[in-house]
Amino acid sequence: MKKILFLTFSIFLIQTVSAQESELLMETELVTSPDVSNPRFNGGDLNKFYEFIDQEFDYSSVKNVGNIMISFTVNELGEVKKIRVLEFPNVEAASEIIRVLNKSPKWEPAKRAGQPFSVAIKMPLVFKQKIIIK
C-alpha cells in the first residue's frame, strides 16, 4: 500500500514539476513577429543580461541556495522598471538582486513597426555558487 501511495505521489509530483517548467518557459519566451523586435541588453539577448547579473551579484549574500524568480519591465526608454522578486531563498538574496537590477544599464527597447513599447519580462534564476540558466 505504501509503495502504491508513493508511486502515485511521485507521478503527481513529476507532472506538477513538468507543468511548472513548461509554464516558466512560456513566460520567458519573447515575442516572435516580423514587425516586432525584442528588447536587447548591451547589443545581445537575455544571455548577456544573465552575464551582467552574474558579474554584479554579490554571492556572499546567498546563504541558502535556491531559486529566485524576478519580473521587471523594460519600458519605451529602455529603463528597467517595476522590479518584483516573486520567489527567493532568503531576504538578503532578494535585496541583492533588486540592487543589481536597479544598477542595470539601459536596454534597447522592444519595437513594433519601429516604435518602442514596454515589455514585461519574467526570469528564473537558480543560485548555487554561480547563476545557472534554466
Side-chain angles (χ1 to χ4, degrees):
M1 181 67 175
K2 287 182 181 179
K3 288 182 181 181
I4 292 172
L5 183 60
F6 177 75
L7 183 60
T8 304
F9 178 73
S10 297
I11 291 170
F12 173 75
L13 184 61
I14 291 168
Q15 289 174 342
T16 303
V17 169
S18 296
Q20 288 174 346
E21 288 174 354
S22 297
E23 181 181 79
L24 292 177
L25 290 175
M26 288 189 307
E27 290 175 353
T28 57
E29 281 181 14
L30 296 175
V31 179
T32 55
S33 174
D35 69 334
V36 173
S37 66
N38 290 311
R40 296 172 52 89
F41 181 78
N42 281 346
D45 58 9
L46 286 179
N47 287 328
K48 284 277 198 185
F49 192 56
Y50 280 112
E51 290 172 13
F52 166 77
I53 292 171
D54 190 40
Q55 291 172 0
E56 296 296 327
F57 193 88
D58 177 9
Y59 287 93
S60 67
S61 67
V62 180
K63 294 178 182 165
N64 301 326
V65 298
N67 298 332
I68 294 182
M69 177 66 71
I70 57 173
S71 71
F72 57 92
T73 299
V74 176
N75 69 13
E76 300 88 2
L77 302 174
E79 301 165 329
V80 173
K81 299 290 182 180
K82 298 181 184 176
I83 298 168
R84 292 179 46 209
V85 180
L86 308 171
E87 181 181 330
F88 53 92
N90 58 61
V91 174
E92 294 81 9
S95 297
E96 178 61 11
I97 197 66
I98 290 170
R99 182 194 69 78
V100 171
L101 292 173
N102 279 321
K103 189 177 178 181
S104 172
K106 285 190 176 184
W107 292 51
E108 181 183 319
K111 293 181 182 171
R112 182 181 303 121
Q115 298 300 312
F117 68 98
S118 293
V119 173
I121 298 175
K122 186 175 182 181
M123 297 174 68
L125 305 170
V126 177
F127 285 90
K128 291 188 179 180
Q129 291 180 358
K130 291 284 183 182
I131 294 175
I132 299 172
I133 302 170
K134 276 191 172 179

